[in-house]
Each structure stands twice: as C-alpha cells, then as structure tokens.
Amino acid sequence: MPTGTAPVRLLDPDSVAELTAAARTLLARYDGLSAHPGLLAEVPAAAASLSDAIRHACRPVDTADGLFVLRGMPVDDTEIGPTPSHWSTAGDAGAVYDVVLLLLSTVMGTPIAWEGQQEGRFVHNIVPSPGHEEEQTGASSSVLLSPHTEDAFHPGRAHLLILGCMRNHDSVATTAASIRQVELDDHEVELLSRAVLPILPDDAYEEAQGYAGEPPAVPTLWASEEGLTLRFDPAYTPLDQAPEDHRAAYARLEDELARVSVAVSLNPGEVLVVDNDLVVHGRVPFRARYDGTDRWLKRSSVRVGGRGTRPPAEESEHGYGQAAVEAYA
C-alpha cells in the first residue's frame, strides 16, 4: 500500500494555546468531566469565540484527497496516563483533548452521538480491547479493518469523521482512499449507482442487528453536483445477493480504492479529518500488548448542514431503529 502524504494544516502556537485554554476553562467549571451536559451546552459559545486562524484551519476539505491532518497540538505521553484497556474504562482520561476535539468539531459542524454506542458520548475512545481482536470495529487489532465509510448502514451518519491521536508508539496507520481519485468507466458507475443491496449494521450496533424491518437497498455511488460520493462497507454488504455484473463493478471499485489508498500514521496531537462522503478509511493490523502503551485515538462524528452529497431517498430509511443525537439540538 502506498504511504502517500495527507494534506497538512498547521495550528500555530497561538491557536494551540487558545484551544487548550478554552478547553481547560470549560473543564474547570465542571469538575474535569468532559461529558458533563453543562459543559456540552457551553461548547457552541466557546467555539464561536475562537479565532479566525482556527476557523481557517478547520475550513472544509478542499482537495480530491477528501481529508486533511491538523498538526501542532502537543500531547504529554505521561500526563494522559496509560492507554485504557476498553472504552468503558477510559472515563475522563485525556479530558482536555475530548473538549478540544468538541471545539474543533463544533467549528466544522454539529457533533453527533449514538444512543447505543459508548454510552451516548460525543467523543469516543478508540483502543484495542481483549476479546475483540478480530472484529470489524475500532476495538480490533490483529485483523485489517476493512476500508469503509463510517456508519454506512445509517442515513444519519456523519459527514465528517475526526480522529485525534493520543498515543501511537507503533506507528499504526489509518488507511484512506478517496472516490474522487479512482478510475471507473461510465457503465461501472451506472451499475453502482443503482440501489441493489443493503448495508447491514456493523458489530458495534448489536441492537440494530436484531432490527425486524426489511433492510433497504442503497446505492454505493451517487453523482452529486460536486462529483461522485460513496456509501461503502463491503464487510456488511451481502454481495452474494447481487447480479454478476454488479458484483464485478463492486470488485472493480474495491480494486481502485486499494490502488489509490494511502496510509496515514498519526503522531500524538495530530487530528485527521475525513470527509465521510468521499473517503473510505480503515486500519492496518497490529499486535496489541494491553500494557498501557497501545495505540489510542479519540473520535468524534460531525454533521454539516446544507450539504448536497447524499441521495434524497435516504431520508425515508428506517436506520435499523438507531438514533443519532445532535449535540446542540
């Protein structure tokens, strides 16, 4: 896989100091509890007061890469403590970075949470967990996390996926590939633009997997005014149910995404912003030690109002009974 280079946007020292001060001020009011409802209610006003330099760094994705890396935020490896062994044991470890991620997310759009995932928190801890090594979820480690768009099964999925790196001693790479860089012929695009197959809920949504409603068929590709967008999760798409020509076109898309894929190995403090309508992401396999030094990311999901990057038909989908909650609704 090519290593490639992701577009980088630098946060200057003044912007870093501003973000950190805003986060610490909010935490001080709420006893260091980053998920406190009162703190969350104050984030929009705090984000609105941030400088133009921060807003410029958080402008929309503006290249065919469909992503960028924000660089410049320091992380003290000792201060953040050991990598949690499971998201449920993380508590408020690295709380200041939770709030920084919320502030950045709010500048870019509206953070969302899922009622059935990580206790409805708006910032998730992504860590390898014992017993989950071979799953297709963020808690896995020993298997390739297959390229996919985030929460592809759901019509209310995020427009932006934001990953902040706390620790990555082993330089474990996030993989990414943009639909705007693949080469497909017109017939392949037409086939993949048909609503032929459903995308089923992944293993992080056990309740949704038991939903009684009929899974809706959805298109893999959609031609927006700005160019092609995609909705993609082959690990949870029953491809064996598709006609042969559709399977062949899907396989071509997989091959093309692999061809243009890049590996982004985040350093502590770096924040990867991925346009979830343009880019599939995954992760290379690694061996988890469970000794407090494993890879640790924080993740937020963001909706951006007024985007025309999805088919109108998505609005009628049932979402397998799952509800995405907007932070400031």
Side-chain angles (χ1 to χ4, degrees), residues 212-256:
E214 184 70 20
V218 300
T220 301
L221 301 181
W222 190 65
S224 74
E225 291 184 0
E226 298 176 359
L228 278 181
T229 63
L230 85 167
R231 185 177 180 180
F232 184 83
D233 195 346
Y236 295 93
T237 300
L239 291 165
D240 58 339
Q241 299 176 13
E244 183 178 349
D245 59 350
H246 188 95
R247 293 199 305 271
Y250 200 101
R252 269 277 297 141
L253 173 59
E254 288 186 286
D255 289 344
E256 277 295 294

Side-chain angles (χ1 to χ4, degrees), residues 177-262:
S178 171
I179 188 62
R180 300 283 171 84
Q181 295 180 322
V182 306
E183 295 178 3
L184 299 173
D185 65 36
D186 292 343
H187 183 57
E188 290 164 339
V189 171
E190 193 276 328
L191 283 170
L192 294 173
S193 298
R194 299 176 187 174
V196 173
L197 296 171
I199 300 176
L200 305 175
D202 64 50
D203 290 339
Y205 296 90
E206 292 183 12
E207 183 178 339
Q209 289 179 335
Y211 186 74
E214 184 70 20
V218 300
T220 301
L221 301 181
W222 190 65
S224 74
E225 291 184 0
E226 298 176 359
L228 278 181
T229 63
L230 85 167
R231 185 177 180 180
F232 184 83
D233 195 346
Y236 295 93
T237 300
L239 291 165
D240 58 339
Q241 299 176 13
E244 183 178 349
D245 59 350
H246 188 95
R247 293 199 305 271
Y250 200 101
R252 269 277 297 141
L253 173 59
E254 288 186 286
D255 289 344
E256 277 295 294
L257 289 169
R259 181 182 65 83
V260 303
S261 182
V262 297

Side-chain angles (χ1 to χ4, degrees), residues 11-306:
L11 287 169
D12 61 69
D14 289 342
S15 295
V16 170
E18 183 182 1
L19 280 165
T20 304
R24 293 192 185 282
T25 297
L26 288 170
L27 284 168
R29 292 178 190 159
Y30 296 97
D31 299 321
L33 302 176
S34 61
H36 193 289
L39 184 151
L40 187 66
E42 291 195 37
V43 167
S49 71
L50 294 174
S51 66
D52 288 343
I54 294 173
R55 296 184 176 285
H56 182 68
C58 293
R59 66 192 184 277
V61 167
D62 53 10
T63 71
D65 305 89
L67 53 81
F68 61 86
V69 173
L70 277 177
R71 183 176 292 165
M73 181 71 64
V75 171
D76 186 316
D77 192 67
T78 300
E79 181 181 324
I80 61 173
T83 299
S85 61
H86 190 267
W87 68 263
S88 63
T89 65
D92 285 285
V96 69
Y97 301 102
D98 289 352
V99 183
V100 166
L101 213 60
L102 278 173
L103 289 166
L104 293 172
S105 299
T106 304
V107 171
M108 297 183 207
T110 302
I112 63 171
W114 298 92
E115 291 180 344
Q117 196 174 31
Q118 297 209 11
E119 298 178 340
R121 285 176 174 256
F122 289 94
V123 177
H124 292 176
N125 287 281
I126 308 301
V127 294
S129 299
H132 299 268
E133 288 85 353
E134 297 186 1
E135 293 180 354
Q136 284 295 306
T137 68
S140 68
S141 53
S142 63
V143 296
L144 175 75
L145 184 60
S146 299
H148 62 286
T149 50
E150 189 75 359
D151 298 321
F153 76 96
H154 202 282
R157 64 196 179 279
H159 294 102
L160 301 175
L161 174 69
I162 303 178
L163 299 173
C165 181
M166 296 292 95
R167 177 174 288 125
N168 194 13
H169 292 174
D170 303 304
S171 298
V172 178
T174 299
T175 62
S178 171
I179 188 62
R180 300 283 171 84
Q181 295 180 322
V182 306
E183 295 178 3
L184 299 173
D185 65 36
D186 292 343
H187 183 57
E188 290 164 339
V189 171
E190 193 276 328
L191 283 170
L192 294 173
S193 298
R194 299 176 187 174
V196 173
L197 296 171
I199 300 176
L200 305 175
D202 64 50
D203 290 339
Y205 296 90
E206 292 183 12
E207 183 178 339
Q209 289 179 335
Y211 186 74
E214 184 70 20
V218 300
T220 301
L221 301 181
W222 190 65
S224 74
E225 291 184 0
E226 298 176 359
L228 278 181
T229 63
L230 85 167
R231 185 177 180 180
F232 184 83
D233 195 346
Y236 295 93
T237 300
L239 291 165
D240 58 339
Q241 299 176 13
E244 183 178 349
D245 59 350
H246 188 95
R247 293 199 305 271
Y250 200 101
R252 269 277 297 141
L253 173 59
E254 288 186 286
D255 289 344
E256 277 295 294
L257 289 169
R259 181 182 65 83
V260 303
S261 182
V262 297
V264 183
S265 180
L266 293 174
N267 295 311
E270 293 183 336
V271 177
L272 175 63
V273 180
V274 175
D275 189 315
N276 197 40
D277 290 330
L278 302 186
V279 172
V280 298
H281 71 281
R283 190 214 61 243
V284 302
F286 66 101
R287 183 182 297 277
R289 292 180 294 273
Y290 307 124
D291 63 355
T293 66
D294 285 322
R295 178 181 185 255
W296 177 11
L297 303 182
K298 289 185 178 287
R299 176 182 69 196
S300 67
S301 299
V302 177
R303 283 182 183 159
V304 181

